[in-house]
Amino acid sequence: MKNLNLILLVFVIHILPNAAFSAPMPEIGPMTIEGNVEEVTWSPETHIKGIPGMSGTAGVDRTFPAHYKVTLTNTDIDISEDSWEKEKFKSGNTVEIVIYHKKDDGFLKKGMRIKVLDYRINGDEGGYWYSFSKIEVIKPEKQQSSK
């Protein structure tokens, strides 16, 4: 009987008009990520039309900020103990992060070593959003020889 009730509940939810339920993902982070910039690309601000009837931000018009997409190697990552993506964001792993930045001004360049403080990833059906408190560029003389 419980299975039948569950099946009916799922069916009713899917056939109800305008029954949109948001499903935000759990936050990833906070974390501190240090690594070598292996690849960096910049993307301008983009505007996306919402899809009527979709849940979360997918159902509304939204803007994705201009940003750098950065691939970091030789990483040193300190992530919150209760973060659900600890295996992905593990020291030594190559990681891809997004850094909001208004202009393609060369702030981040291949070959740099950076440290991103308080990095967090949130999102829902409509996309992801990213935040951080500070980016430090590590000067070559401050880099440890083991890195």
Side-chain angles (χ1 to χ4, degrees), residues 90 103 107 113 127:
K90 189 179 213 176
K103 293 195 283 185
F107 169 63
R113 185 161 184 87

Side-chain angles (χ1 to χ4, degrees), residues 32-110:
T32 297
I33 305 172
E34 183 176 329
N36 298 331
V37 176
E38 181 67 27
E39 189 174 322
V40 60
T41 56
W42 183 83
S43 297
E45 180 177 271
T46 56
H47 304 282
I48 306 292
K49 299 275 299 159
I51 302 168
M54 290 292 291
S55 62
T57 58
V60 297
D61 294 353
R62 58 207 182 279
T63 299
F64 291 97
H67 61 275
Y68 285 113
K69 187 178 286 187
V70 183
T71 302
L72 296 173
T73 59
N74 198 17
T75 57
D76 184 10
I77 301 172
D78 181 19
I79 188 168
S80 169
E81 281 299 314
D82 59 350
S83 184
W84 64 279
E85 280 281 23
K86 285 183 68 165
E87 288 304 309
K88 180 179 179 181
F89 290 96
K90 189 179 213 176
S91 290
N93 287 359
T94 296
V95 297
E96 189 172 84
I97 62 173
V98 172
I99 303 293
Y100 293 146
H101 198 72
K102 291 182 185 267
K103 293 195 283 185
D104 185 12
D105 59 4
F107 169 63
L108 296 176
K109 296 180 181 102
K110 185 175 179 175

